[in-house]
Amino acid sequence: MVDTVLKDFLQRIPLDYRELLSDFLSSNDHLQHLANLAQSENEARTLYPGQIFPEQADVFKALTETPVDAVKVILLGQDPYHSPGLAQGLAFSIPEQIPITSKAYPSSLRNMSKALFLDGFNTLAHGNLQDWAKQGVLLLNTSLTVAMGVPQSHQAWGWQVLTDAIIQSLSKKQAMVWLLWGKVAQKKASLICSDHAHLILTASHPSGLGAYQTNTPFLYRGDTKACGHFRKTNDWLTQQSKSPIVWSSNLF
């Protein structure tokens, strides 16, 4: 039974990422860990139907939407949104139909929209960031599932063993931009291969008032200045002869 669950689990990971992780997946220790992880997910979804986010089909959506060879920017999140109807397998992203005026609209996205405006871009028209993913922004959470209403509830499952391997393996391919917002993401900086001249940008996590509350704030008090990561990313990509990201609509 466990072997079947593990096989199904691995088949859900896109083939190009399985190839990227070939050394990792060749380790019996890692396979045993993934078997335990797959079993935990399988049991939780059986015991609590509809209460594990995102839906199983969307757990690896970040990898599906941004193939290995397309990755230019890695934006690390912590874990999926734990309120119903929000998580869709892409860090920070929510379904397009959720109104910006809704109480359900996350503060992280509101602050990201402010930062875009302060960087010279238009604000977000909605919270679905799938277009970023299609342009090469890997929207990867460090934990890929969560229980309804309980943030960080699946940290103990050990998703990080897999997502850490993805981070390490991608960083060995070529220089990329890393957007590390908040302490959880910033702890992953040590995993980034130093053989390439990566651009690593750090700031407070954009959620709520926390966006203002470190020595490297995501937003500055009074919303008069932002960390500048969106513009810095595009400047760097242009210098590397890569196409910049269309974060919102055209520059004004």
Side-chain angles (χ1 to χ4, degrees), residues 8 10 12 16 25 33 60 63 72 77 98 102 114 119 125 127 129 139 171 200 205 214 235:
D8 291 344
L10 292 175
R12 287 158 52 202
D16 59 337
L25 295 177
H33 174 85
F60 296 110
L63 309 184
K72 299 186 291 190
I98 297 175
S102 168
K114 289 179 184 178
D119 259 10
L129 306 181
L139 299 168
S171 75
I200 301 173
H205 194 277
T214 71
D235 288 346

Side-chain angles (χ1 to χ4, degrees), residues 83-207:
S83 297
L86 295 184
Q88 56 176 188
L90 301 173
F92 295 102
S93 184
I94 62 172
E96 184 173 338
Q97 63 267 27
I98 297 175
I100 293 175
T101 55
S102 168
K103 290 183 178 179
Y105 196 89
S107 61
S108 294
L109 283 169
R110 294 185 193 281
N111 286 334
M112 288 161 67
S113 197
K114 289 179 184 178
L116 279 166
F117 182 81
L118 291 167
D119 259 10
F121 299 92
N122 286 332
T123 56
L124 293 172
H126 49 73
N128 189 343
L129 306 181
Q130 189 171 8
D131 189 53
W132 292 8
K134 290 184 178 299
Q135 295 179 73
V137 182
L138 181 64
L139 299 168
L140 182 67
N141 280 314
T142 56
S143 185
L144 299 185
T145 59
V146 72
M148 182 170 67
V150 190
Q152 303 180 50
S153 50
H154 292 171
Q155 297 268 328
W157 286 9
W159 278 112
Q160 292 86 348
V161 174
L162 176 59
T163 54
D164 282 0
I166 293 171
I167 291 167
Q168 287 181 312
S169 299
L170 282 173
S171 75
K172 292 176 182 178
K173 282 182 62 63
Q174 61 181 357
M176 301 175 180
V177 181
W178 298 80
L179 300 177
L180 307 182
W181 300 340
K183 291 181 180 179
V184 171
Q186 288 162 21
K187 287 179 181 178
K188 304 302 180 181
S190 62
L191 301 174
I192 300 171
C193 177
S194 60
D195 291 346
H196 298 293
H198 298 282
L199 177 63
I200 301 173
L201 300 174
T202 63
S204 307
H205 194 277
S207 62

Side-chain angles (χ1 to χ4, degrees), residues 9-22 25 60 63-64 67-68:
F9 178 88
L10 292 175
Q11 286 297 316
R12 287 158 52 202
I13 301 174
L15 177 59
D16 59 337
Y17 279 91
R18 276 182 272 150
E19 292 174 346
L20 176 75
L21 299 171
S22 58
L25 295 177
F60 296 110
L63 309 184
T64 302
V68 168

